[in-house]
Amino acid sequence: MSAPVSTSVRDTGSDLRDTDGRPAPAVVLDALDTARAGVLAYQSEMEALLQSTQAELQSALGQLQSTQGQLESTQGQLRSTQEQLESTQGQLRSTQGRLRETQQALEGARGELAQAQADSARWQGDCQQQEREKRELAMALARQTDRNRQLHAELLDVYQDLNNENLPELILRLCAKLTGSESGMFVDLSNEHTLAAMRIDDKKPEVRDALYGFTRQALQQEKPLVRNDGDNLPDGLQLVNLAALPVLLKGEPRGVILVANKREGPYTEDDTDLLLSIGRHAGIAMENTRLHAALAEAYLSTIGVLADAIEAKDAYTRGHCESVSDIAVQVARALGWEGEELRQIRYAALLHDVGKIGIPDGILLKPSRLLPEEFQVIQRHSLIGSDLVNRVPALRPIAPLILHHHERYDGLGYPHGLSGDQIPIGARIIGVVDALNAMTTPRPYRDSWSMHEAIDELRRCSGTQFDPMIVERITGVLDLQEEAYAEELDGEEAVLTAS
Ligand SMILES: [Fe+2]
């Protein structure tokens, strides 16, 4: 900027003139100088102002530039922030997306949890139900176990009370015992026959007719018949209730079991189930018993034929086998034997000399004393007899008794020279009874001994030829027989005296 001009118009050399060419007056010049000074001053002021303004402008520009820099910096920050914001927004959106997914997953999980909770509650309910059922089953099992134990004890009682030979009675008593009944009957309707009766008088026609009516009805319907209303039962029966069930074998009716007067309450389904179960087994048991009886009859017939054959051959043994059998059975009973053991000793005693069939008549029937070699032949009869019965399966168990019935307690007998307990006890019994019977029976070469003489002889040979225990038992049995005989004689004498 230039400095203000201090020269006047005149100094400038200007030659001012008017239109007429005349020089400008001094006044005008002065005025012009004044104006000029004013303009110069103004110009100076303006220049100063301009400079000031320029400085301000520059300052402002600097500030503006600074501001602009700041602004740019701020813009940069802003952009950065915006980018961060956008990044954050992106992250936020991503997070929101994940959050939504998580929320959905959470909702899914919540649903599954609810389902699982419901399942768990249901399972818990099922568990509780199963637990209840388990407890009930355990209680039922315990009750059933108690019942079975009781039934077992009752069955044992029944078996101990009864001889198995009477199977219908056994079955009837079993049914009565297990159902708590006081009365009953077992009927074979094929021949209108009462096989067993318990506290029922079936001899009375009205009772028999009424009860047989119920049994026929049970047989026709082939299932248990129950009458728990005593008022509807015929008068005269004196029954408060009854149950009848058919006994079937292979689907065929074999009979009817009727139980009556249950002590506690009416007959229930449990009772009829139990009766049906027994009925099924009873049919089989009855058939077995029938077959067994038929077989036993066939064996008995065989034994009878063999016994007859011995007696037919040797007149002196006639009645001997029967007698030995009777006393041997009495001794066995005195020893406490029963059932099959008793049957075996009876058959063995009947057949103990069956081997004599194989001995030549010349020796067997020789009226005089036997020579030693003849006695050796006779001795073979125990071996022959044993072989003979061994061929009959049902008689096989008695073969040892026949084989050893001539053994001696001291071991000096035959055929094997056994002694003491080596000799089967049945054979020892038969040996003693056989000797007793032989002594009391007349022979061609001697008279018979009296019973007292024979017993004395048994006692004399007790411990050598005979088992002392058997001798003691047999004398006890004979004493009892003698007492009974004496009482019989006294009775007959009293009758004779009175008449
Ligand atoms: Fe003999």
Side-chain angles (χ1 to χ4, degrees):
M1 184 176 290
S2 61
V5 179
S6 60
T7 60
S8 64
V9 174
R10 290 173 191 101
D11 296 333
T12 60
S14 302
D15 187 16
L16 292 173
R17 297 186 184 264
D18 62 11
T19 53
D20 289 337
R22 299 174 290 199
V27 176
V28 172
L29 290 173
D30 289 341
L32 282 173
D33 282 340
T34 303
R36 187 176 180 223
V39 168
L40 289 174
Y42 182 72
Q43 184 180 357
S44 180
E45 282 177 13
M46 285 299 107
E47 284 177 354
L49 183 61
L50 183 61
Q51 287 175 352
S52 171
T53 301
Q54 276 182 333
E56 286 177 2
L57 275 174
Q58 283 175 348
S59 173
L61 186 61
Q63 286 178 356
L64 186 61
Q65 285 173 341
S66 172
T67 302
Q68 192 173 1
Q70 287 176 356
L71 188 60
E72 285 173 356
S73 170
T74 302
Q75 277 181 337
Q77 288 176 356
L78 193 61
R79 275 196 298 277
S80 171
T81 303
Q82 194 170 1
E83 285 171 359
Q84 286 178 0
L85 187 62
E86 284 173 359
S87 169
T88 304
Q89 277 180 336
Q91 288 176 356
L92 190 61
R93 276 195 297 276
S94 170
T95 303
Q96 277 180 336
R98 286 204 299 273
L99 190 63
R100 273 197 300 277
E101 288 172 4
T102 305
Q103 199 167 1
Q104 285 171 356
L106 192 63
E107 284 173 4
R110 197 175 292 156
E112 288 176 4
L113 182 65
Q115 180 65 36
Q117 279 177 334
D119 290 346
S120 173
R122 195 164 47 250
W123 178 77
Q124 203 169 357
D126 290 347
C127 278
Q128 286 170 349
Q129 177 67 20
Q130 283 176 356
E131 194 63 31
R132 276 195 297 277
E133 289 174 1
K134 201 170 147 186
R135 277 199 299 275
E136 286 169 6
L137 275 174
M139 287 167 66
L141 186 63
R143 281 197 301 273
Q144 189 61 41
T145 304
D146 281 349
R147 176 73 177 143
N148 285 346
R149 200 172 291 130
Q150 187 189 349
L151 291 181
H152 183 68
E154 288 173 351
L155 273 173
L156 278 180
D157 286 348
V158 172
Y159 274 109
Q160 282 166 1
D161 286 352
L162 278 170
N163 183 337
N164 284 353
E165 285 177 349
N166 196 344
L167 188 67
E169 192 181 340
L170 171 69
I171 293 167
L172 177 61
R173 286 192 52 184
L174 192 61
C175 291
K177 188 111 182 172
L178 296 182
T179 55
S181 306
E182 290 180 343
S183 316
M185 62 191 297
F186 192 169
V187 177
D188 181 356
L189 285 175
S190 64
N191 55 7
E192 299 279 316
H193 174 60
T194 301
L195 299 168
M198 214 177 107
R199 294 200 184 95
I200 281 183
D201 186 4
D202 73 323
K203 301 290 184 293
K204 291 182 181 173
E206 65 275 18
V207 173
R208 183 184 169 90
D209 290 347
L211 293 181
Y212 270 44
F214 286 119
T215 58
R216 280 190 209 98
Q217 210 174 326
L219 198 64
Q220 281 166 4
Q221 67 184 27
E222 294 190 358
K223 63 179 184 181
L225 173 90
V226 174
R227 292 286 181 272
N228 277 320
D229 188 359
D231 295 340
N232 286 336
L233 291 174
D235 294 336
L237 292 182
Q238 297 180 324
L239 300 179
V240 293
N241 50 22
L242 65 83
L245 80 150
V247 175
L248 304 175
L249 178 68
K250 296 176 185 172
E252 292 297 319
R254 300 302 300 258
V256 176
I257 295 172
L258 182 145
V259 288
N261 287 345
K262 184 175 176 180
R263 282 185 290 274
E264 293 175 4
Y267 286 104
T268 63
E269 204 174 325
D270 283 349
D271 290 324
T272 53
D273 285 348
L274 191 65
L275 290 173
L276 274 176
S277 175
I278 297 173
R280 278 192 290 272
H281 291 92
I284 297 167
M286 285 186 68
E287 180 64 6
N288 285 345
T289 303
R290 189 188 68 75
L291 293 173
H292 190 265
L295 198 59
E297 201 172 324
Y299 294 151
L300 276 175
S301 173
T302 308
I303 292 166
V305 170
L306 290 172
D308 288 349
I310 307 165
E311 296 193 349
K313 188 161 185 176
D314 180 4
Y316 290 101
T317 63
R318 196 157 296 156
H320 165 74
C321 298
E322 200 76 44
S323 177
V324 170
S325 179
D326 286 346
I327 299 175
V329 167
Q330 288 180 54
V331 174
R333 277 210 183 96
L335 289 170
W337 293 15
E338 56 186 16
E340 188 58 29
E341 282 184 323
L342 215 53
R343 264 192 294 277
Q344 286 184 5
I345 189 77
R346 185 163 84 238
Y347 298 161
L350 268 175
L351 297 177
H352 72 281
D353 275 342
V354 71
K356 287 183 178 174
I357 290 173
I359 305 299
D361 289 353
I363 299 174
L364 185 66
L365 305 177
K366 186 178 178 183
S368 55
R369 284 189 181 276
L370 296 172
L371 299 171
E373 58 272 23
E374 291 171 333
F375 190 61
Q376 282 181 355
V377 175
I378 282 280
Q379 284 180 343
R380 289 175 50 205
H381 80 278
S382 55
L383 200 57
I384 296 170
S386 166
D387 287 346
L388 203 60
V389 296
N390 233 339
R391 295 176 198 176
V392 184
L395 297 178
R396 204 163 286 156
I398 69 173
L401 278 61
I402 293 174
L403 179 65
H404 298 295
H405 77 274
H406 281 292
E407 303 282 4
R408 286 174 49 123
Y409 195 68
D410 55 10
L412 299 177
Y414 65 89
H416 295 154
L418 302 183
S419 64
D421 291 345
Q422 292 177 321
I423 310 165
I425 186 168
R428 278 179 269 156
I429 294 174
I430 294 170
V432 178
V433 180
D434 187 26
L436 174 79
N437 193 267
M439 286 187 274
T440 55
T441 304
R443 285 286 188 267
Y445 46 86
R446 64 158 172 78
D447 292 333
S448 65
W449 295 14
S450 71
M451 186 58 80
H452 286 293
E453 288 171 330
I455 289 175
D456 285 346
E457 181 65 9
L458 288 185
R459 285 183 174 141
R460 192 180 67 76
C461 299
S462 175
T464 52
Q465 184 173 353
F466 307 120
D467 180 347
M469 186 270 289
I470 307 289
V471 172
E472 191 182 331
R473 294 285 175 173
I474 204 168
T475 51
V477 166
L478 294 173
D479 285 346
L480 285 176
Q481 276 188 343
E482 200 168 354
E483 283 174 20
Y485 182 62
E487 282 176 12
E488 199 177 320
L489 279 182
D490 287 348
E492 283 176 4
E493 281 174 9
V495 171
L496 285 172
T497 307
S499 60

